[in-house]
Amino acid sequence: MKTQFNNIYQNHYEKVYRLCLGYVNGDEALAKDLAQDTFVKVWEHLDQFKNKSSIGTWIYRITVNTCLLFIRKNKKGSYSLPEIREDDTNVVEVEKAHQTRLQQMYACIQELKETERIVILLVLEGLAQKEIADITGHSHQNVRVMVHRIKEKLTKCVTHGI
């Protein structure tokens, strides 16, 4: 079982981490903690996995639940990215512009309803809409409509501000 877990961890850690990162608005340390919590749960319950879905779907569901539980417990819901330090030798204008766009996108994602946030973070991870439907419990058609509407909301938010 240890070898199986190590393979699962290696194959899914980066995706789980990025999903957590989206929930905590880019806070890397907190995302790492949540990813670690997720894999502790995966380890504890690996023997209960029944192959009703792919292992990736099962892990994403655990990740989403772990992140939502954290957010509800802390009742913060909004996180800010670490500030860029002004260091003339290391920070260039392109990096600052990228960081600003990233902060704006995370802020817009945080403004979404919980279900919308789950869906768009899974889309950003590259999951198929069918798999997102399995994870969220919505119909495939409903997920398709949601993705379209969420993208419209995010486009408006990013281009016009919050």
Side-chain angles (χ1 to χ4, degrees), residues 61-120:
R61 190 174 288 250
I62 293 171
T63 306
V64 167
N65 289 338
T66 300
C67 292
L68 291 177
L69 181 63
F70 170 80
I71 290 169
R72 287 180 188 137
K73 277 173 118 177
N74 291 289
K75 294 183 180 162
K76 292 179 182 175
S78 65
Y79 302 90
S80 58
L81 289 171
E83 290 294 316
I84 298 174
R85 284 176 281 202
E86 289 298 324
D87 189 352
D88 295 335
T89 58
N90 295 333
V91 179
V92 294
E93 291 302 315
V94 173
E95 291 172 354
K96 284 199 248 180
H98 175 72
Q99 185 76 4
T100 300
R101 284 191 308 273
L102 188 61
Q103 285 176 324
Q104 195 172 12
M105 178 58 85
Y106 278 126
C108 290
I109 289 172
Q110 289 297 316
E111 294 298 316
L112 295 171
K113 295 176 188 169
E114 189 174 280
T115 303
E116 293 173 331
R117 194 174 336 136
I118 292 167
V119 169
I120 199 63

